[in-house]
């Protein structure tokens, strides 16, 4: 239970107390700040507390936005301020200062006409506290000073349907064409239906995952009926995937566990579906595991490009370029906005394409279309970001360099070599880091593809890859194109596993490789969302335990050289299970803990 303290004389006919109770607040009254401070001292430390001016007039949803969002320790709207336990002491200090200031006035001085809650917020600002102020838009939140303005405020409240505003705000402000026009117009009402029945976003997220897994199971049957059902269920899963976020925004139910579920289940659903398609194709006599693994590798590398570029420029200064200006100009032309959002093949368009092709064609055709579409999207987005990086004069921060180093996922071998290579690396040109990462990765993948399975040359190339990877990260990644280093390393590791499994040419090698890449990719996604939540990267012990990207690449190359193809398949399976267990246990521990960040993704492009 949360506690709301109404300050001042209650206004006859006001619905404020009822609105606060409907939002889950236990309402108490105080004549002023001094009495409110005394009441605040009696509220249990673990509860949220709000101070609200009794004269407040506004929409219930304005109060919901200002007083119940769990993501912010301190939040305020006109006439009301709230603090979670983390912000309680700042609120107490601000109220004490405001009370002292009021008491220090000259005898007979009139009380200030503005709201006591607003004066407390001013005191919080003066202290430098980070007070969240939600965007209210057309919603009303005000403290009238006389009957006339109160009547005008009540008329303004009556003129705006806050439920319509609430429904509209439940939808992402920026989303893909398919999601905006084919899903959100009705999924928002599903979200409201769920809210009114007490369902949580986590329950809807889980339902979306289960639906997608059933879809994958239907695809795995290899029958036309199974493929049609799989396509329909995949679309249903996507509707639920949109609904869970809209439910979270509609009811402001954000949580650390929900952040973890939302951050990982989309990838789990998509990659499980790829596996289902591959199994279904195998039942029909067509082996498309290489295509399935290639699609997962390409899609994962696309995401790493997105993450790395955004982290590199998250807080860069002088972060402008002619290319970015042209992009902004194109965004001012309506049709180009939707065209550019569609050609990058975001999740809505991608899942719709997969669902339709699954139902009416074959898994092989589905994967061919997916690979071509994702390759075009990756080329388009990466080329644009390279142009922006080359034409802007951004100064990247130490934070950005740390984030890119964490995304590189360097293990003990690279860490041991970066010390001796630091001085030589500093004397090399600025483009060295991405160049050597690209060349080292190309060398090991090409060697694995072009030499026979079990040969020693892949080990040699993997050893060279360790050296080039160490050189790439030996100095801080602050160069114009240094954000390319993590995706190049991801492509090298995943590509090597794919190439060696394909060259093994035995049953089970590619599915085992698929499992290994899926486990490692989960670790990389987990790292991304920790960084986004300002919680730092995965712990160093975890990175060392699973070898880092260079350690895994070298280990797979050695296993291919010393084992037979059948033994190599078993070894990949064991390695996949071991990596999955370690990263999942640590990830669940972190995201289920109270210290995990509440990541709420509002604009994931793919």
């Amino acid at each position: 239970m949360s506690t709301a303290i109404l300050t001042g004389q209650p206004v006859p006919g006001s619905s404020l107390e009822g609105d606060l109770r409907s939002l889950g607040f236990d309402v108490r009254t105080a004549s002023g700040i001094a009495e409110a401070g005394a009441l605040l001292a009696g509220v249990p430390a673990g509860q949220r507390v709000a101070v609200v001016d009794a004269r407040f007039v506004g929409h219930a949803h304005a109060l919901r936005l200002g007083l119940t969002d769990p993501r912010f320790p301190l939040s305020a709207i006109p006439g009301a301020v709230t603090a979670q336990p983390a912000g309680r002491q700042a609120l107490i200090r601000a109220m004490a200062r405001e009370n002292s200031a009021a008491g220090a006035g000259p005898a007979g001085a009139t009380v200030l006409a503005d709201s006591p809650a607003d004066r407390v917020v001013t005191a919080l600002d003066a202290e430098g506290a980070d007070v969240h102020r939600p965007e209210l838009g057309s919603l009303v939140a005000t403290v009238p000073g006389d009957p006339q303005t109160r009547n005008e405020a009540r008329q303004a409240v009556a003129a705006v349907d806050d439920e319509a505003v609430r429904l509209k705000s439940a939808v992402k402000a920026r989303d893909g064409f398919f999601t905006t026009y084919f899903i959100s117009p009705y999924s928002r009402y599903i979200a409201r239906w769920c809210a009114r029945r007490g369902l949580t976003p986590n329950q809807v997220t889980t339902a979306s995952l289960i639906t997608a897994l059933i879809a994958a199971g239907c695809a795995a049957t290899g029958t036309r009926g199974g493929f049609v059902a799989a396509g329909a269920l995949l679309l249903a899963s996507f509707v639920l995937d949109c609904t869970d976020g809209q439910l979270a925004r509609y009811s402001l139910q954000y949580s650390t566990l929900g952040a973890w579920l939302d951050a990982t289940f989309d990838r789990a659903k998509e990659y499980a579906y790829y596996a289902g398609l591959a199994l279904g194709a195998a039942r029909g006599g067509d082996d498309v595991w290489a295509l399935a693994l290639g699609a997962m590798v390409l899609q994962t590398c696309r995401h790493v490009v997105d993450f790395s570029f955004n982290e590199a420029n998250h807080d860069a200064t002088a972060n402008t370029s002619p290319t970015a200006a042209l992009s902004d100009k194109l965004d001012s032309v309506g049709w180009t906005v939707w065209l550019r959002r569609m050609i990058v093949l975001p999740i809505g368009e991608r899942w719709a394409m997969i669902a339709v092709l699954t139902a009416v064609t074959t898994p092989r055709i589905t994967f061919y279309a997916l690979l071509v579409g994702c390759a075009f999207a990756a080329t388009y987005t990466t080329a644009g970001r390279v142009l922006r990086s080359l034409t802007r004069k951004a100064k990247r921060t130490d934070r950005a360099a740390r984030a890119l180093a964490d995304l590189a996922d360097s293990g003990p071998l690279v860490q041991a070599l970066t010390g001796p290579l630091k001085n030589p690396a500093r004397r090399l040109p600025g483009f060295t880091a991405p160049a050597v990462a690209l060349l080292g990765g190309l060398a090991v993948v090409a060697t694995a593809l072009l030499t026979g399975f079990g040969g020693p040359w892949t080990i040699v190339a993997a050893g060279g890859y360790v050296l080039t990877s160490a050189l790439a990260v030996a100095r801080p990644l602050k160069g114009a194109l240094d954000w390319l280093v993590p995706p190049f390393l991801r492509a090298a590791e995943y590509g090597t596993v794919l190439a060696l499994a394909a060259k093994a040419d035995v049953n089970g090698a590619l599915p085992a490789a698929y499992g290994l890449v899926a486990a490692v990719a989960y670790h990389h996604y987990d790292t991304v969302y920790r960084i986004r939540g300002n919680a730092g990267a995965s712990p160093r012990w975890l990175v060392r335990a699973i070898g880092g990207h260079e350690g895994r690449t070298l280990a797979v190359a050695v296993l291919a050289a010393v084992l037979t193809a059948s033994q190599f398949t078993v070894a990949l399976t064991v390695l996949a299970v071991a990596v999955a267990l370690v990263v999942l246990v640590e990830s669940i521990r972190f995201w289920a803990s109270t210290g995990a960040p509440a990541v709420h993704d509002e604009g994931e492009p793919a």
Side-chain angles (χ1 to χ4, degrees):
M1 175 67 75
S2 302
T3 299
I5 302 172
L6 289 181
T7 58
Q9 284 295 112
V11 177
S14 173
S15 64
L16 178 58
E17 186 170 340
D19 289 340
L20 290 170
R21 293 189 189 281
S22 71
L23 296 177
F25 285 94
D26 176 28
V27 180
R28 304 179 188 180
T29 59
S31 59
I33 289 294
E35 188 176 346
L39 289 175
L40 175 59
V43 176
Q47 285 189 11
R48 173 191 287 272
V49 65
V51 177
V52 185
D53 193 305
R55 298 170 297 169
F56 176 89
V57 174
H59 289 98
H61 190 50
L63 287 170
R64 180 181 291 106
L65 291 173
L67 303 183
T68 68
D69 196 321
R71 295 172 295 173
F72 307 103
L74 292 165
S75 184
I77 57 174
V81 59
T82 185
Q84 294 198 74
R88 174 76 69 88
Q89 291 304 313
L91 180 64
I92 291 173
R93 290 193 299 270
M95 291 178 67
R97 282 197 304 275
E98 174 56 30
N99 187 46
S100 298
T110 58
V111 178
L112 292 174
D114 58 341
S115 167
D118 290 344
R119 297 200 300 271
V120 169
V121 174
T122 301
L124 285 169
D125 290 336
E127 184 181 316
D130 185 11
V131 181
H132 171 68
R133 291 173 171 83
E135 178 61 47
L136 298 180
S138 60
L139 296 175
V140 176
T142 186
V143 179
D146 56 70
Q148 180 179 346
T149 55
R150 170 171 293 277
N151 185 54
E152 292 171 351
R154 285 176 171 172
Q155 292 175 0
V157 170
V160 176
D161 184 352
D162 72 335
E163 178 60 21
V165 173
R166 187 182 179 190
L167 267 176
K168 183 178 180 180
S169 63
V171 178
K172 281 184 180 180
R174 181 183 184 276
D175 222 330
F177 178 85
F178 179 78
T179 305
T180 299
Y181 290 103
F182 292 89
I183 304 297
S184 293
Y186 58 88
S187 61
R188 69 183 73 183
Y189 295 101
I190 300 175
R192 181 171 68 180
W193 183 90
C194 293
R196 290 177 175 177
R197 282 152 184 81
L199 297 177
T200 67
N202 293 351
Q203 291 170 333
V204 178
T205 302
T206 303
S208 176
L209 174 66
I210 292 171
T211 304
L213 294 178
I214 295 173
C218 291
T221 63
T223 64
R224 177 51 51 195
F227 288 146
V228 172
L233 287 170
L234 186 65
L235 286 177
S237 174
F238 183 64
V239 172
L240 292 173
D241 181 58
C242 295
T243 300
D244 65 358
Q246 291 165 358
L247 175 58
R249 287 182 286 273
Y250 181 84
S251 55
L252 299 184
Q253 295 183 75
Y254 306 112
S255 68
T256 54
L257 178 60
W260 173 67
L261 294 176
D262 189 58
T264 56
F265 277 14
D266 278 354
R267 305 288 83 80
K269 289 180 285 191
E270 186 168 2
Y271 299 155
Y273 191 82
Y274 293 174
L277 280 177
L279 288 169
R283 287 181 178 271
D286 190 11
D287 186 355
V288 297
W289 274 106
L291 297 178
L293 181 49
M296 180 166 66
V297 169
L298 179 55
Q299 187 58 29
T300 302
C301 290
R302 279 188 65 198
H303 283 134
V304 178
V305 168
D306 293 336
F307 299 144
S308 295
F309 181 79
N310 290 335
E311 287 301 325
N313 295 284
H314 180 267
D315 49 5
T317 58
N319 203 16
T320 59
S321 74
T323 308
L326 175 61
S327 178
D328 292 340
K329 186 175 181 180
L330 288 174
D331 278 345
S332 66
V333 183
W335 66 270
T336 66
V337 174
W338 294 118
L339 177 63
R340 295 171 70 211
R341 290 186 190 178
M342 291 172 68
I343 62 178
V344 299
L345 209 62
I347 187 170
E349 279 74 0
R350 190 169 67 251
W351 282 27
M353 180 185 73
I354 294 170
V356 171
L357 290 178
T358 298
V360 302
T361 65
T362 65
R364 180 172 290 273
I365 293 175
T366 301
F367 280 123
Y368 281 152
L370 181 62
L371 286 166
V372 170
C374 287
F376 177 81
T379 302
Y380 170 79
T381 55
T382 305
R385 286 166 177 171
V386 167
L387 285 174
R388 289 189 184 200
S389 299
L390 291 175
T391 56
R392 69 177 25 142
K393 300 186 182 299
K395 295 181 180 178
R396 296 197 168 93
T397 63
D398 291 337
R399 178 197 177 279
R402 283 194 303 272
L404 291 179
D406 290 333
L407 290 174
D409 192 37
S410 300
L413 296 177
V414 164
Q415 293 296 323
L417 291 171
T418 51
L421 290 174
K422 272 186 180 179
N423 288 331
R426 292 181 188 279
R427 293 193 290 269
L428 294 173
F431 60 83
T432 299
V436 297
L438 175 62
L439 292 174
L442 285 175
V444 68
V445 174
T447 303
L449 277 173
L450 301 177
T451 60
F453 179 81
W457 289 110
T458 304
I459 297 179
V460 175
Y465 172 69
V466 173
L467 290 172
T468 56
S469 299
L471 184 60
V473 299
R475 65 182 180 187
L477 296 175
K478 294 184 178 182
L481 297 178
D482 284 0
W483 56 270
L484 286 169
V485 170
F488 284 159
L489 299 180
R490 292 295 77 71
E493 179 185 356
Y494 301 161
T496 301
V497 175
L498 169 58
L500 290 174
K503 296 291 285 187
D505 198 25
V506 295
N507 289 334
L510 282 167
Y514 192 94
L516 176 59
V517 172
V520 175
Y522 176 87
H523 161 63
H524 291 144
Y525 283 116
D526 186 63
T527 299
V528 164
Y529 281 94
R530 291 182 191 228
I531 293 172
R532 280 187 165 187
N534 294 317
S538 299
R540 289 304 307 166
W541 71 262
L542 176 63
V543 177
R544 289 193 296 269
I546 60 176
H549 69 92
E550 81 288 354
R552 291 186 296 270
T553 303
L554 182 60
V556 172
V558 170
L559 290 173
V562 302
L563 300 176
T564 66
S566 297
Q567 292 170 335
F568 176 70
T569 299
V570 174
L572 282 185
T573 304
V574 172
L575 186 58
V577 171
V579 171
L581 284 175
V582 173
V583 299
L584 279 173
V585 169
E586 163 56 21
S587 178
I588 293 171
R589 181 208 64 78
F590 172 77
W591 288 100
S593 70
T594 56
V599 178
H600 181 61
D601 186 11
E602 286 289 348
E604 179 58 51

